[in-house]
Amino acid sequence: MGSTAAPTATTERIYTLDVIRGFALLGIFIMNMPWFNTSFYAGVDGTRAWPQWWDTWTETATEVLFSGKFNSMFSMLFAVGFTIQLERLEARDPRHARTIYLRRIFWLFVFGAIHMCVFWGGDVLHIYAILGLLLLALRRAPYKLLWTLLFLALFYPLIMGVYRYFTFQPAEREHILAMSKLWTASNDAAYGHGSFYEALREHTREAVYLYTDKYNLRGVARFFSQFMVTLLIGLMLGRAKFFQDSARHLPLVRRVQWWSLGCGLAAGSLWGIWQATATDFITPTPWRLLAGAGYILCRVLIMIFYVATIVRAVHHPGWRRRLAPMAATGRMPLTNYLTQTLIATTLFYGWGFGLWGQVGPALDLLLAVGIFFVVQVPLSQWWLSRHELGPLEWLWRRLTYGRIRPQSEPGAPITAG
C-alpha cells in the first residue's frame, strides 16, 4: 500500500521562517558574488587584486557582517524545517514518514551535486543533504548530548588550528601555494574564457579535488563543523516549536538580540582586522588563531542577532507588511538560490558576458543587492501570484512524493509565528 502523506499545504507555512529565508538568500548572494567571478584559490599568497580603499573596506565589512552568517542561517532553517516536516509526515503517514524524508534529502543531494559539478563549485545543498542524515539520527537525542555536540563542533576548528600550529611544516605552505597557482590559472582559463562545456569540466575537476586532497579535506571538515553548530541550534529550536509560538518569547528575543550583536561585533573585529592586514593566509600564527576564534564566534552570534531582529520585526504590524516581499522570496529558496548562480555565471563566465576578474568587492556588493531586489524579489512575487510553488520547489516535491495530490485536511493556518 502506498503512502498517504502529501506535501505541506500553503496554509501551513510559518511566515517568520519564510522571511528569514528571504534574508538568508540575500546574504548568501552578497557573499557568493565575489566567488562567481574570481577563483576560490586566488589571493592565497596574500596578493590583493583590488587594493583600492573602497574595495578593501567593503571586503572587510562583508567579512564581519555577512561571511558565514547566512549559510549558517540557512543550515539553522534546514534543521527547523526538518523537525516540522518529519513531525507532519509522521502525523499523516507514520509508516512511510522516514522513507519520504530520505527521498527528499536524496533529491536535494542530487540538486546540489549537479549544481556543484556543472554550474558552480560553491554549492551548499549537498552539505545540507549529508547533514540531514545526521539530523535523522539525532532527532530524539537528549538535549545534553545535543549541547555537547554543539560545543565540540564550535571549538573543533580552533582545536585543529592549534594542532596545525604545532605540526606545520614549510613544505605544506609550498605545496598549497603551488596548487593554488595552478588552480587559479586553470579557473581563469576555463571560467573566464572557456565554453560552457570547459567550465563544466573544470567544476567537476574542482569537486573531485575538494573531496580528495588532504589539505582541502581539513578545510571541508572545519566547514562541516561550523554548519553543525547552527544545524544543532535549529534542531533544538524546532523541537521546542519556537517559531510556531515566537510571540511568547519576544522579551527573551530582545535580550538575545542586543547581547549577540555586541559580542558578535567584538569577536568579528578580531577577524576583520586580521583579514584586512594579513599578508600570509597559509602559515598558522597565534594572531591568526585568535582571529579565527573571533570569526567562529562572530559567525554564530551575528547570525543569532539577524534572526532575533527578524523575529521582532515580524511581530511589529508595520514591519510585518513591509517584509512580505522577503517572505515571497523565501518561499522559493531552491529556485532563487540556483537562479543566483545562473544569473551570476551568465554575467561573469566566458560563455556569457565574460566579466570574469573585472569586478571588485564594492561593485560585487552593489550587483548582489541590485539583482536581488530588482530581479529576484519582484519575480518571486509575480510567480507566487500565479503558482503555489516555485518551479524547482514543485519539481523537488514531485520527485519526493510522486504525483502531488490536493491536501484534504490542510490544518489550521500557522501564520503568526
Side-chain angles (χ1 to χ4, degrees):
M1 184 175 178
S3 171
T4 58
T8 299
T10 305
T11 51
E12 291 181 285
R13 299 195 67 91
I14 298 174
Y15 184 76
T16 304
L17 295 180
D18 287 333
V19 175
I20 296 172
R21 285 190 193 96
F23 278 100
L25 285 164
L26 171 60
I28 286 171
F29 200 20
I30 288 171
M31 286 313 302
N32 285 348
M33 185 63 83
W35 302 113
F36 283 124
N37 67 84
T38 308
S39 170
F40 285 112
Y41 303 91
V44 172
D45 59 357
T47 58
R48 297 182 185 275
W50 305 96
Q52 298 87 349
W53 68 266
W54 53 86
D55 285 315
T56 301
W57 277 99
T58 300
E59 189 174 30
T60 300
T62 53
E63 280 290 329
V64 174
L65 298 175
F66 294 96
S67 177
K69 285 69 177 178
F70 291 93
N71 53 25
S72 292
M73 191 182 291
F74 238 52
S75 68
M76 183 205 73
L77 292 168
F78 179 76
V80 172
F82 155 80
T83 60
I84 295 170
Q85 291 157 8
L86 198 55
E87 182 179 273
R88 289 172 177 169
L89 283 171
E90 288 179 337
R92 292 166 182 164
D93 188 356
R95 289 182 55 198
H96 300 94
R98 184 167 296 205
T99 301
I100 293 170
Y101 174 75
L102 288 172
R103 200 156 60 219
R104 181 176 174 83
I105 61 171
F106 167 77
W107 286 112
L108 182 64
F109 181 85
V110 171
F111 282 126
I114 293 172
H115 182 219
M116 186 176 190
C117 294
V118 177
F119 296 99
W120 185 60
D123 174 76
V124 294
L125 299 178
H126 73 286
I127 297 175
Y128 296 144
I130 292 169
L131 292 175
L133 296 175
L134 187 60
L135 279 177
L136 199 59
L138 294 174
R139 187 195 172 198
R140 292 189 172 88
Y143 280 98
K144 185 176 180 180
L145 174 60
L146 295 180
W147 280 108
T148 301
L149 292 174
L150 188 153
F151 282 107
L152 286 174
L154 182 66
F155 291 109
Y156 171 80
L158 182 60
I159 294 168
M160 293 308 297
V162 172
Y163 171 78
R164 184 167 177 255
Y165 174 74
F166 286 106
T167 60
F168 182 79
Q169 299 293 328
E172 178 181 337
R173 185 177 190 277
E174 297 307 313
H175 170 81
I176 293 173
L177 278 175
M179 295 304 297
S180 296
K181 288 178 181 178
L182 287 174
W183 276 106
T184 300
S186 179
N187 287 175
D188 288 345
Y191 305 145
H193 307 286
S195 64
F196 183 87
Y197 172 73
E198 288 169 326
L200 179 156
R201 186 172 58 185
E202 184 77 351
H203 285 310
T204 304
R205 287 181 62 239
E206 272 195 277
V208 172
Y209 177 66
L210 179 67
Y211 283 103
T212 56
D213 178 78
K214 66 177 182 179
Y215 298 114
N216 276 330
L217 284 173
R218 188 172 55 202
V220 168
R222 288 196 298 268
F223 198 59
F224 270 71
S225 73
Q226 291 174 78
F227 269 34
M228 269 295 298
V229 173
T230 42
L231 198 82
L232 290 167
I233 291 173
L235 177 60
M236 288 188 276
L237 289 174
R239 282 172 52 168
K241 294 181 169 50
F242 172 84
F243 290 101
Q244 287 93 323
D245 191 19
S246 55
R248 186 165 59 90
H249 303 286
L250 286 180
L252 173 62
V253 170
R254 188 182 302 111
R255 291 195 298 272
V256 168
Q257 177 189 20
W258 299 116
W259 275 104
S260 60
L261 175 62
C263 296
L265 289 177
S269 64
L270 297 174
W271 174 254
I273 294 169
W274 178 81
Q275 183 77 14
T277 59
T279 57
D280 183 349
F281 293 92
I282 300 174
T283 306
T285 62
W287 172 220
R288 183 181 179 180
L289 286 173
L290 181 63
Y295 174 80
I296 292 165
L297 293 174
C298 175
R299 179 186 179 113
V300 178
L301 290 170
I302 296 296
M303 182 219 73
I304 292 172
F305 164 74
Y306 288 141
V307 172
T309 302
I310 295 167
V311 169
R312 289 190 64 194
V314 164
H315 290 285
H316 185 283
W319 276 107
R320 186 180 181 89
R321 291 191 298 272
R322 295 186 190 105
L323 293 172
M326 298 301 286
T329 311
R331 283 179 56 189
M332 297 171 47
L334 183 61
T335 297
N336 281 317
Y337 174 69
L338 296 178
T339 300
Q340 289 173 356
T341 296
L342 179 62
I343 293 171
T345 52
T346 301
L347 280 175
F348 298 123
Y349 279 27
W351 52 261
F353 291 94
L355 296 178
W356 177 268
Q358 299 179 41
V359 178
L363 187 52
D364 280 327
L365 176 61
L366 292 175
L367 275 173
V369 174
I371 292 169
F372 184 82
F373 284 108
V374 175
V375 178
Q376 290 201 287
V377 171
L379 192 58
S380 298
Q381 291 178 293
W382 174 83
W383 182 273
L384 290 173
S385 70
R386 291 160 174 79
H387 306 277
E388 181 183 356
L389 300 170
L392 290 178
E393 285 73 19
W394 177 88
L395 176 60
W396 189 12
R397 285 193 176 190
R398 185 64 182 264
L399 292 169
T400 300
Y401 293 93
R403 183 173 66 85
I404 300 179
R405 297 180 295 278
Q407 179 65 28
S408 58
E409 296 180 7
I414 304 177
T415 57

